[in-house]
Amino acid sequence: MSDNHSVIGRSVPRIDGPEKVSGAAKYTGDLKFPNMLYGKILTSPHAHARILSIDTSEAERLPGVKAVITHKDVPTLKYGLSPARWDESIFCSDKVRFVGDKVAAVACLDEDTCYKALKLIKVEYEVLPAVLDFLHAMDEGQPQVHEEYARNINTEIHQEFGDVEKALAEAHHVRTDTFVGQRTYQSPIEPHSAISMWDGGKLTIYSSTQSPHYFQHYIAREFDMPMGDVRIIKPYLGGGFGGKLEPTGLEFAGAVLAKLTGRPVRTFYDRAEMFAHNRGRHAQYMEITTGVDKNGKILAAKANFLMDGGAYTSLGIASAYYAGALLPLTYEFDNYQFDMFRVYTNLPACGAQRGHGAPQPKYAFESHLDNVAADLGIDPMDIRIINARRPNTVTPNDFRVNSCKIKECLERVRVMSDWDEKKKNLPLGRGIGVATGSFVTGAGYPIYRTDLPHAAAFIKVCEDGTAATLYTGSVDIGQGSDTVLCQMAAEAMGYRYEQMKIVAADTEITPLDFGAYASRQTYMSGAAVKQAGEEVKRQVLEMASVMLGLPAEDLDCADGQIFSKSRPGKSLSFEEVARKHFVLRGPLLGRGSYTPPKLGGNFKGAAVGTSPAYSFGAQVGEVAIDEETGEITVVGIWDVHDCGKVINPRLLHGQVHGALYMGMGEAVWEEVLFDDKGRIKNAELANYRLLTAVDMPPITSEVVDSYEPSGPWGVKEVGEGATNPTLGMFSNAIFDAMGVRVNSLPLSYEKVWRALKEKREREEDEARRKPEARRAEAPLETDGAMPVYANPS
Amino acid sequence: MAQAITDKDGVKRYLITLNVNGDAHTVLVKGNAILTNVLRDQLDLTGTKKGCELGDCGSCTVLLDGKPVDSCLVLAVEADGRQITTIEGVAANGRLDEIQQSMINHAAVQCGYCTPGMVLSAKALLTRNPNPSEQEVREAISGNLCRCTGYVHIVEAVMATAQGRVTPDDH
């Protein structure tokens, strides 16, 4: 393909850089409005309890309190993000279902008064037995979280493609492993907040949201308003990672408080409340069975999963489907069975977190595949290359894959990491592991049923042509979409990035876009932006044709210059042509929209995981384990991605680094912990264990030369996909270093130490019983290519 | 000791002077008011961010007499009469500081919420140690959590500034 682009493919600086480094960038919590009140939500102290009475009278009498609301003051309509299970209420009316469930709210003159007022609301509870262990949530006799969902089953999935039992029966080797993934939290640094205000019948909400459109839709639905009377504005957003995709209750409560008081109301969560709201990664139990031929080619796979959904559905039905749907994407096999239960528990609800559903199943499958490779004596890199998906193939669950360079990614990361040399020579306690990942480039279907386009864009060229403004509903949550979309607009128009402006994510000004989730914006919003830019360019060239007296087909425009293809020297500046266009024909505008083609099969759940394009990647990590303490030192990480055409290389690698960072945290340190009453024990960033700059190892990231035919200029995603291999990669590197596998996340120092201790005791025991036999046998779970781990004592 | 005023409910407030970015501001604060809130709510200097109010994240970092501190752990009364630099005071006369420009050029900024605190921690390091090692850079910013970048570009940006080149090689 040709690569004669003037704007895309360059590491231009972020369009919002100066505002962000100078402190000028205003996030939702930084905004102030005249007469503004502060709102706080009262939450449940119990994991499961019946509400017997709520007395707000004392709180209402406190000076400075302007409104106190409970379930009696708000719409009773249930809401949620996933329309298949709307099970949340603005405030609980009958019972609370987790510590942190919403009970009432106050609006006050200042923050201090809010906290005093919350303490004065008297709620009488009858504490009920709670279900806190998801592994037993479906057992007979367990407390019911929601009466209408028997045995606490929120979602049940059973899918089979091909003939799994036949393929397993014919396989050379069949192996089953089980793994457990932990509950993690997105932990964006900016806390959630919203400011709600009414102007007559019109509601405006400034919100820290990843999708103004979904907010607008759900708020209009909840308050039975036309969408046109709801305006959602996203100021600068301090990270999301999936955690700011859905209504939190802050905006519903804030809207009601603002209505009652007639004043703007700012509602917000503190850090502990963010953890309680959660919507992070589900804890998950994963059993995987795979049958392979003697060369390690996968013939069939079975996944049997159980997910801890917490008290509400959130986006969890999609998470449950994603967990299984993306599993047959990276490797090719025809026979696949997926069984899943997502269960309710009396814990905060789980939802979509970077890599939505995929990272933990990938951890399980990638660890399992290493075990299979060890059983057969195949190099872990080789077994992945043998099974790697090829371009222009279809998965057993009907996902069409166009571009795919997973094999090239593996081959490249093998060289970069010096895999072959290290695999042979690393000393005891040092290990190297590989894993792969793949992800959707935008979800093929919207979250709620609608025929609206997934993305749309306008471009308005300034009257004198010296600037152009892109209007988009897309959301820059830090990933850099404002920058890359301006690059794409400029490229399509033949204009200069440096003269681009952007207005984004304001439902009243910008056209609809579903927002920042499922790694969709560069591809889907980019497609709409490209179309809008091309419409501008066509009009500019038509006007230039009149001005130059040359046919429009002979003209082209790049980097702000219009030129004749046949007659060098015949040129005009974009500015003068744009100005003339305004004088003669009125505003110079371009419009674009994007709707994906119909995707996927016809079976139940076929829509989840469909995407017009899939990204692929491979990672290698090297670790050193301290045998005495279990401490894991990460020596280095190498990452190679197939993400199609790269629009902004530095921003892209920033996404990879961030994804690796999040994956590394989840692999070794991060975990939300609860006590036996369902209260979070570590609802702060220090004890949740976010990694600091000194914890991060050297990272080397590269991309393979790739082009996705369905995407604008050949783009695909990278932001979430780069998280998918990381957990499995660490699992395999630690396995390689120790010769034993830790089967649950996080792969903490303590678990590593215990695994080593158990292995040592097992070996000592064996040595005492059969000294000769021990020398002759290879240890059970040791990779064939590894030196045999021995107890140094 | 700052002058105290007691209101009709018996709540004491203190009249203090904060020297922020070269300007003296006299403000009335409660004894338990944290510096972060006074800067943000009373002086409208919202570049100082609030991320945790526990000293974990470093988003609220300001320089107090030149040293980086979590302003959520500093009582406003403790800062009475002292020199405070917030992110709004790093650029001079509309020109970004080198460390700010380097952060932009190296793509060390993503969501930007940690960036003000990160810039101030880096600025304090480079003032006291103009030629830090990579490990010293990492230690200096280890109190500033960034959830987006994995710190790679941030460390590069600080190192590059120390070495007098605010533009990365691959630009």
Side-chain angles (χ1 to χ4, degrees), chain A residues 626-669:
Chain A
D626 184 323
E627 286 174 48
E628 298 302 317
T629 63
E631 185 175 350
I632 301 158
T633 303
V634 183
V635 180
I637 301 177
W638 297 266
D639 176 288
V640 181
H641 253 80
D642 162 18
C643 46
K645 166 76 183 169
V646 178
I647 302 296
N648 187 315
R650 279 197 85 81
L651 288 184
L652 177 127
H653 287 290
Q655 284 291 292
V656 172
H657 301 155
L660 269 168
Y661 163 72
M662 193 173 264
M664 185 172 155
E666 287 188 57
V668 187
W669 286 279

Side-chain angles (χ1 to χ4, degrees), chain A residues 27 30 32 650 691 693, chain B residues 41 49 110-111 138 151 156:
Chain A
Y27 297 73
D30 299 334
K32 247 187 201 175
R650 279 197 85 81
L691 274 65
Chain B
D41 300 339
K49 302 300 177 203
Q110 289 192 19
C111 84
R138 287 181 181 274
Y151 306 105
E156 271 179 35

Side-chain angles (χ1 to χ4, degrees), chain A residues 11-14 16-27 29-32 38 110-112 115-116 185-191 236-239 241 266 270-271 274 353-354 476-479 649-651 653-655 657-659 661-662 665-666 670 683-688 690-699, chain B residues 9 11 13 30 32 37 40-59 87-91 96-97 99-101 103-116 118-119 134-135 137-153 155-157 168-171:
Chain A
S11 296
V12 301
R14 287 184 77 98
D16 51 8
E19 286 81 5
K20 286 181 173 176
V21 296
S22 63
K26 294 272 190 191
Y27 297 73
D30 299 334
L31 300 176
K32 247 187 201 175
Y38 294 79
D110 56 39
E111 226 177 302
D112 285 357
Y115 292 110
K116 282 182 197 155
Y185 179 55
Q186 294 97 348
S187 305
I189 303 296
E190 179 210 20
Y236 284 100
L237 192 76
F241 315 106
R266 180 161 103 73
D270 64 22
R271 184 57 57 177
M274 289 172 74
Q353 181 169 340
R354 197 175 202 158
D476 197 326
I477 62 176
Q479 83 282 38
R650 279 197 85 81
L651 288 184
H653 287 290
Q655 284 291 292
H657 301 155
Y661 163 72
M662 193 173 264
E666 287 188 57
E670 295 179 26
E684 341 91 33
L685 298 173
N687 289 317
Y688 173 72
L690 279 199
L691 274 65
T692 72
V694 291
D695 300 315
M696 284 303 289
I699 295 172
Chain B
D9 298 322
V11 178
R13 287 185 173 75
K30 282 192 197 171
N32 65 356
N37 287 348
R40 287 172 55 83
D41 300 339
Q42 292 185 245
L43 304 185
D44 283 332
L45 295 169
T46 53
T48 302
K49 302 300 177 203
K50 265 209 296 198
C52 67
E53 295 179 84
L54 291 167
D56 291 338
C57 75
S59 304
I87 190 65
E88 289 88 351
V90 175
L96 295 178
D97 187 86
I99 182 68
Q100 293 174 309
Q101 194 57 55
M103 291 268 194
I104 297 173
N105 293 355
H106 284 84
V109 179
Q110 289 192 19
C111 84
Y113 204 77
C114 74
T115 304
M118 201 67 87
V119 165
E134 184 181 323
Q135 185 59 25
V137 170
R138 287 181 181 274
E139 283 169 9
I141 61 168
S142 64
N144 298 84
L145 294 176
C146 170
R147 191 54 158 167
C148 301
T149 62
Y151 306 105
V152 179
H153 286 158
V155 172
E156 271 179 35
D169 301 332
D170 59 358
H171 228 54

